[in-house]
Amino acid sequence: MTVLLGSGMLRSGRGLLYDQALARLADRAPHATPVPVTAAPVLGAALDALDAAGAPPSAAARLRAAFESGIPVSSA
């Protein structure tokens, strides 16, 4: 089972809070695999909005690529 660690403080994959989260997860779900979410929190909301608007999969791919590269998303 994969557990996404999705807060801004867990995103870096290091630090006291991260270590505590891993320790508690290991105690409660020893077979879980923790994975920090590295995408900007707004990405999920933007992908949901594209889906709700009926945008094609290529729009989601462009949006993801733009977030990963830091390039502004164009409407083209």
Side-chain angles (χ1 to χ4, degrees), residues 16-28:
L16 181 61
L17 182 61
Y18 182 80
D19 293 342
Q20 287 294 316
L22 290 187
R24 290 181 184 206
L25 183 61
D27 183 49
R28 290 173 176 84

Side-chain angles (χ1 to χ4, degrees), residues 49-62:
L50 285 175
D51 189 47
S58 61
R62 283 197 329 267

Side-chain angles (χ1 to χ4, degrees), residues 1-66:
M1 163 178 51
T2 300
V3 176
L4 299 176
L5 305 176
S7 78
M9 296 184 73
L10 298 175
R11 194 172 165 185
S12 69
R14 63 180 191 278
L16 181 61
L17 182 61
Y18 182 80
D19 293 342
Q20 287 294 316
L22 290 187
R24 290 181 184 206
L25 183 61
D27 183 49
R28 290 173 176 84
H31 300 290
T33 303
V35 177
V37 175
T38 57
V42 72
L43 177 58
L47 290 169
D48 281 346
L50 285 175
D51 189 47
S58 61
R62 283 197 329 267
L63 180 66
R64 282 184 184 280

